[in-house]
Amino acid sequence: MKVSLTLLCLFEGFLQATAQSAGQTSEFHLGGDYLIGGLFNIHYVATAHFQRPQAIDCSRRNYIKLFILPNYRRFQLMRFSVEEINNSTVLLPNISLGYQMFDHCSDIHSFPGLFKLLSVKDSIRPLEEGSMRLPNVIGVVGPFTSTHALTVAPIFMSNLFPMVSYGCSGSVFSRKNLYPSFLRTVHPNKDVINAIVGIIQNFSWRWVAFLNSDDDFGKDGLEQFKARIEESDICLAYYKSINHDTDYSQVFKQLEEQNIKVIVVFAPKVYAEAVIESAVQLNVTNKVWIADDGWSLNKKLPNMEGIQNIGTVLGVAQPVVTIPGFTDFIYSATSQRVHGGDTEQEMFCNQKCSCSNVSVKSLLRADPSFSFPVYAAVYAIAHALHNTLRCGSGTCHRNITVYPQMILEELKKSNFTLLNQAVQFDENGDPKFGSLSIVFWNHSGEAEEVGFYHFQQSTHLSINKTKIKWFTNGEVPTALCSSECPAGYAKKPNGMHKCCFSCEICKTKTYINITENPFRCISCKDTEWSAEGSTSCTPRLLEYVLFTDSGAMLTMVLEGLLLGLIVSVSAVFAINYNTPVVRSAGGPICFLNLGCLSLCSISVFFYFGVPTPAFCVLRYLPFILFYTVCLSCFVVRSFQIVCIFKISAQIPNIHIWWVKYHGQWLLISAAFVFQAVSITISFSCDPPSPYNETSWYPEQIILSCNLNIQASICSLLLLLSLCCLCFIFSYMAKDLPKNYNEAKAITFCLLLLTCTWVIFITEYMLYRGKYIQIFNALAVLSSLYSFLLWYFLPKCYIIIFQPSRNTQQYFQGLIQNYTKTISQ
């Protein structure tokens, strides 16, 4: 709508002015067989002063304007490039190039120049369907800024009119669906931002600010920067869009409040100069400034008084390429202008520049940025025309009608060498050539080259850090919201920025991997461990008792001794089976008891070695099952003693029933069957299985077996019940004959049994190392030895060494004496 309104307002004045300007001589116009358009913003005019669309004269004194010397230098470079091509016998032989250039000083008030470029025989007509038209020029070099390009490019895109920009770096121009005939010889903002981020990362800066111009160029740069650092460890602490009305004192106040040391200024020359000049005036010190390629080679600021106080200035710059012959051209052009070659006549469409006071020295010393892009843009169009006209062998086919669309197709296929660089474009119209320089503003007021950013190499960024003289007396400045945490500490975020955090040490069994996630302590696996403040986990040592361990060997020796004693006792009892001592000890029950003690001892062997499911079952099953029988035998024997000496006298029927129905065997069988069924059920539901003890010793894994107490509660309660019954019956018989008191021996065995397991349980609660398996095995052996040593061996001693006490008369005498004592 803006473009259409401007067109309607200016159309009539445009046609009248074009006739008046014909034949006038100017730096802005050169006749030729084919013309190339050029758009250069030699002046900058603030558009806020205009209330309605109108054509303006960029050089008139009644406008608030700014003369931009670097752009005037680029303007002269296009003139030089065309002249150089015309003097070439290889490129476009017998063809003369001309140009039609305009001072594109405003993005919304310079449309007459565009219409001039698009006009056909000095008139503008709508494109008729099915026809082709031949505008004044075959292609346009420019414009310089993204904002200007966004305004004018749609006018050219509608008819696929080729534009080759030497400065527009906005990312949107890579979208060919919107800008099909737009190409450029500068890399897009994305590449410049990548170089800037590379510098920031190279010096490990994390806390940065971004000041961008409040236009399409600056806004696109900010978006690219945000996207680029999203997955990095860089935080955008502050960003601000700047314009002519920006209050820089407030901006720098906020930078100081947030302790920001690194500032990226992504803005055209006009805004960048305002930022740096304000920093000097406001006495902003000790900062690192990072410049984009638009102002990093600025010639004015490095020599400004007080510039050294603001800190260190680094920048990304277009490589300074020396254009052979350009200096001589400038001297020649200046001489022609002084001698009247450049008139001061009013010319339409900003084809006039009051530049008579520009010296050769100042022009040659102006910011050389984008010199090669201008040079390459002109040559790209010239090569496209060369190929369109099928030039070769010193001549071109003049009979070919050249349409802009034909130039566009050849531009896309560009592949030529210019000053040792292969000029090519990718599918988006972006350059496939060139690199960026990394510069440092030294104390001599020069932008010193200290590195490069290469687009086509695997190692993109290289910086010679020794050339950079920091304001911190040689040390690289730091730019952090929070200092990095020591090794083994995780970051605990403070606020919205990931760069602001406190440090929290990782606890035991956790570690920190800063490359994976510096904000979280990661738990080690069950097979690993770590000390407090670790950065990795260490495999835990697998601990278990080997069969060759000294403790295991001692336990097995005791086990062997136990079996030997059981066999010996069994032999003595078998030989003296019909003696009173053997019969009073239980007779056949003794052999059942001794056999079960032997079977119980089998479980000891399964406490050593690597636990397996079978080992775990055999560690508990034999002892629980057969020790139940052992306790049942002693319950029976205790009950018989009490029954004979006490209960039978008061309740004779109990003794009669006990003898008649073999009560001892019924009780033993019932206990055995109940325990067998209970073990079968509990081990079927949850059998003992290998278990890794990981909680007690962080650096070790103790291989053990897990017995589910809840599932085996019935079996354990049965053992406990038998122990209680045995103790009750044996305690009731504590006053039996002094020289013959089996109940006292059973009571003493039970006390030893109780003490053994109380000691083991206490030890188990305090210690869970691998040797707990040995203690468990010794507790089992102690339970077996208690009955063998204090019940069976004393009887063997009587049989072998005191045979006089192993007679019928001796036992009857004891009973008679006990009867008399009770009767008294």
Side-chain angles (χ1 to χ4, degrees):
M1 178 65 69
K2 184 191 302 182
V3 175
S4 301
L5 182 59
T6 305
L7 176 60
L8 292 174
C9 294
L10 303 175
F11 182 72
E12 183 177 357
F14 170 74
L15 294 179
Q16 295 174 355
T18 52
Q20 297 175 3
S21 64
Q24 294 180 347
T25 303
S26 170
E27 289 183 312
F28 289 82
H29 176 75
L30 177 68
D33 297 325
Y34 297 93
L35 299 183
I36 300 177
L39 298 175
F40 295 85
N41 51 324
I42 300 173
H43 293 86
Y44 173 80
V45 178
T47 57
H49 297 280
F50 303 101
Q51 302 300 323
R52 58 186 177 86
Q54 57 182 290
I56 64 172
D57 181 352
C58 295
S59 63
R60 283 180 58 182
R61 291 180 174 81
N62 57 334
Y63 295 142
I64 299 176
K65 63 186 184 303
L66 179 66
F67 177 71
I68 306 175
L69 184 59
N71 286 346
Y72 184 63
R73 186 182 191 276
R74 294 160 194 146
F75 166 82
Q76 294 293 346
L77 187 57
M78 178 173 173
R79 296 182 62 225
F80 163 75
S81 302
V82 172
E83 182 177 301
E84 186 178 63
I85 293 170
N86 286 335
N87 292 332
S88 171
T89 58
V90 177
L91 183 62
L92 293 175
N94 78 323
I95 295 293
S96 64
L97 271 184
Y99 51 76
Q100 188 85 27
M101 292 192 283
F102 296 90
D103 186 359
H104 195 68
C105 61
S106 170
D107 57 334
I108 61 173
H109 296 292
S110 296
F111 287 102
L114 307 182
F115 301 148
K116 181 69 175 178
L117 296 177
L118 292 170
S119 64
V120 180
K121 296 180 181 180
D122 292 332
S123 63
I124 299 177
R125 300 195 306 269
L127 179 64
E128 297 178 3
E129 186 176 356
S131 67
M132 299 294 287
R133 63 179 183 175
L134 297 175
N136 288 344
V137 297
I138 58 173
V140 174
V141 173
F144 181 59
T145 70
S146 298
T147 299
H148 288 172
L150 285 171
T151 306
V152 305
I155 300 176
F156 295 98
M157 298 300 108
S158 60
N159 295 323
L160 296 179
F161 194 91
M163 296 181 67
V164 184
S165 175
Y166 55 89
C168 296
S169 55
S171 302
V172 68
F173 298 110
S174 296
R175 299 170 60 180
K176 293 300 101 178
N177 60 325
L178 297 179
Y179 301 95
S181 60
F182 188 95
L183 299 92
R184 51 186 163 190
T185 52
V186 291
H187 287 270
N189 283 337
K190 178 184 70 174
D191 294 336
V192 178
I193 290 297
N194 284 340
I196 291 175
V197 172
I199 295 174
I200 294 173
Q201 291 178 326
N202 191 268
F203 293 106
S204 299
W205 294 324
R206 302 288 180 266
W207 193 238
V208 301
F210 196 95
L211 304 181
N212 62 282
S213 55
D214 191 14
D215 56 15
D216 301 286
F217 168 76
K219 293 175 182 177
D220 181 62
L222 178 60
E223 291 178 5
Q224 294 296 323
F225 187 78
K226 287 181 177 180
R228 178 64 178 79
I229 67 173
E230 186 174 355
E231 300 299 327
S232 72
D233 50 5
I234 300 172
C235 290
L236 183 56
Y238 175 80
Y239 63 91
K240 175 72 174 178
S241 295
I242 56 177
N243 52 43
H244 293 289
D245 300 323
T246 299
D247 183 359
Y248 289 106
S249 62
Q250 184 64 29
V251 170
F252 293 128
K253 181 180 178 181
Q254 292 181 341
L255 293 176
E256 287 299 325
E257 288 177 352
Q258 298 189 51
N259 193 30
I260 300 173
K261 299 295 185 183
V262 177
I263 306 170
V264 179
V265 181
F266 199 85
K269 173 180 178 292
V270 176
Y271 297 107
E273 288 182 350
V275 171
I276 300 302
E277 289 171 356
S278 298
V280 174
Q281 294 171 4
L282 296 171
N283 195 29
V284 177
T285 60
N286 300 334
K287 304 292 184 185
V288 176
W289 305 83
I290 302 180
D292 65 69
D293 56 343
W295 67 277
S296 56
L297 298 183
N298 190 286
K299 296 299 182 180
K300 171 186 175 183
L301 295 177
N303 295 287
M304 181 180 177
E305 183 179 354
I307 192 68
Q308 302 296 337
N309 297 329
I310 69 171
T312 303
V313 180
L314 301 175
V316 176
Q318 297 289 331
V320 178
V321 179
T322 301
I323 310 295
F326 180 59
T327 301
D328 295 335
F329 172 81
I330 292 298
Y331 277 103
S332 175
T334 303
S335 175
Q336 292 178 9
R337 186 170 64 241
V338 171
H339 290 87
D342 183 19
T343 67
E344 292 293 332
Q345 298 173 351
E346 290 292 330
M347 307 193 69
F348 188 68
C349 294
N350 300 323
Q351 290 187 303
K352 171 180 176 281
C353 177
S354 300
C355 307
S356 57
N357 59 340
V358 178
S359 66
V360 174
K361 182 179 179 180
S362 62
L363 188 58
L364 293 177
R365 282 184 52 83
D367 183 353
S369 299
F370 303 95
S371 295
F372 184 78
V374 174
Y375 193 59
V378 176
Y379 266 86
I381 295 177
H383 276 274
L385 178 61
H386 181 92
N387 294 332
T388 302
L389 295 176
R390 303 173 190 172
C391 298
S393 302
T395 184
C396 297
H397 295 78
R398 288 178 170 271
N399 58 342
I400 297 177
T401 302
V402 178
Y403 296 100
Q405 295 86 342
M406 300 166 64
I407 300 296
L408 175 62
E409 292 304 315
E410 293 298 331
L411 274 172
K412 294 178 180 179
K413 298 184 289 185
S414 295
N415 187 2
F416 60 93
T417 301
L418 186 64
L419 299 183
N420 298 321
Q421 290 203 52
V423 177
Q424 292 178 287
F425 300 97
D426 62 17
E427 64 277 5
N428 297 322
D430 297 329
K432 296 171 65 175
F433 57 91
S435 62
L436 292 173
S437 296
I438 309 300
V439 297
F440 156 67
W441 287 9
N442 59 30
H443 296 302
S444 301
E446 299 291 336
E448 181 181 356
E449 194 172 68
V450 296
F452 294 95
Y453 188 88
H454 302 281
F455 299 106
Q456 307 300 328
Q457 299 181 10
S458 56
T459 303
H460 294 301
L461 183 68
S462 60
I463 299 178
N464 186 351
K465 298 180 181 179
T466 60
K467 291 185 177 182
I468 303 175
K469 307 302 179 184
W470 302 102
F471 63 85
T472 51
N473 298 323
E475 295 183 2
V476 178
T478 58
L480 304 170
C481 178
S482 302
S483 298
E484 286 299 315
C485 293
Y489 284 75
K491 299 176 181 179
K492 185 178 181 181
N494 291 334
M496 60 179 291
H497 289 290
K498 59 186 176 184
C499 296
C500 302
F501 50 82
S502 57
C503 298
E504 192 174 77
I505 193 168
C506 289
K507 299 179 181 179
T508 55
K509 300 182 184 178
T510 65
Y511 71 100
I512 184 71
N513 184 347
I514 59 174
T515 58
E516 182 177 338
N517 187 351
F519 294 91
R520 185 174 69 89
C521 294
I522 305 171
S523 299
C524 294
K525 299 177 182 178
D526 290 338
T527 57
E528 298 175 333
W529 76 283
S530 66
E532 187 179 57
S534 296
T535 57
S536 63
C537 292
T538 304
R540 303 173 75 166
L541 296 175
L542 295 178
E543 294 286 349
Y544 59 92
V545 180
L546 297 170
F547 282 97
T548 55
D549 189 276
S550 58
M553 296 178 69
L554 175 62
T555 304
M556 288 187 288
V557 168
L558 293 175
E559 160 69 5
L561 179 61
L562 175 70
L563 292 176
L565 288 174
I566 291 175
V567 171
S568 300
V569 170
S570 299
V572 172
F573 273 44
I575 293 172
N576 299 276
Y577 180 75
N578 293 317
T579 62
V581 171
V582 175
R583 290 199 303 271
S584 66
I589 293 178
C590 291
F591 295 100
L592 175 63
N593 208 337
L594 291 170
C596 288
L597 289 177
S598 301
L599 294 174
C600 286
S601 66
I602 294 174
S603 63
V604 171
F605 294 103
F606 300 100
Y607 281 91
F608 315 121
V610 179
T612 63
F615 266 47
C616 290
V617 171
L618 293 175
R619 180 179 294 188
Y620 297 109
L621 188 147
F623 179 75
I624 294 175
L625 181 62
F626 296 110
Y627 205 71
T628 300
V629 178
C630 292
L631 288 176
S632 300
C633 292
F634 284 108
V635 169
V636 167
R637 187 57 189 150
S638 300
F639 177 77
Q640 285 177 333
I641 295 172
V642 174
C643 185
I644 291 172
F645 286 96
K646 292 188 175 184
I647 299 178
S648 61
Q650 300 177 5
I651 311 176
N653 290 332
I654 293 180
H655 185 261
I656 295 171
W657 180 90
W658 181 267
V659 173
K660 180 179 179 181
Y661 292 103
H662 304 284
Q664 68 272 27
W665 297 111
L666 288 175
L667 180 61
I668 294 171
S669 300
F672 176 78
V673 171
F674 181 85
Q675 189 67 285
V677 172
S678 177
I679 290 175
T680 300
I681 295 174
S682 62
F683 280 21
S684 297
C685 297
D686 189 2
S689 57
Y691 167 70
N692 295 337
E693 176 58 65
T694 59
S695 59
W696 277 68
Y697 306 99
E699 72 278 8
Q700 298 176 354
I701 297 178
I702 309 300
L703 302 185
S704 181
C705 289
N706 180 41
L707 176 65
N708 190 331
I709 301 298
Q710 294 179 345
S712 305
I713 189 66
C714 292
S715 299
L716 299 178
L717 285 176
L718 178 59
L719 287 174
L720 183 61
S721 300
L722 291 174
C723 285
C724 292
L725 285 173
C726 187
F727 185 81
I728 291 171
F729 290 142
S730 62
Y731 183 79
M732 290 173 63
K734 66 181 185 301
D735 56 346
L736 290 180
K738 196 175 206 178
N739 295 324
Y740 176 66
N741 195 345
E742 295 180 8
K744 290 181 180 180
I746 294 173
T747 302
F748 185 71
C749 293
L750 290 174
L751 288 175
L752 288 178
L753 175 66
T754 303
C755 290
T756 296
W757 287 102
V758 168
I759 292 172
F760 171 74
I761 292 173
T762 303
E763 180 69 23
Y764 185 79
M765 293 175 65
L766 300 175
Y767 171 73
R768 296 289 179 86
K770 68 176 183 179
Y771 292 109
I772 197 68
Q773 313 301 330
I774 294 178
F775 296 149
N776 199 343
L778 290 175
V780 171
L781 286 178
S782 178
S783 302
L784 303 179
Y785 268 107
S786 63
F787 286 114
L788 181 65
L789 294 179
W790 303 105
Y791 184 81
F792 290 103
L793 284 186
K795 295 175 175 29
C796 291
Y797 177 80
I798 293 173
I799 293 172
I800 297 174
F801 297 105
Q802 295 180 347
S804 60
R805 298 174 60 183
N806 189 18
T807 61
Q808 189 71 27
Q809 293 80 3
Y810 181 79
F811 272 81
Q812 288 178 351
L814 290 175
I815 296 172
Q816 289 175 358
N817 291 333
Y818 174 73
T819 305
K820 291 179 181 180
T821 301
I822 292 199
S823 62
Q824 293 175 357

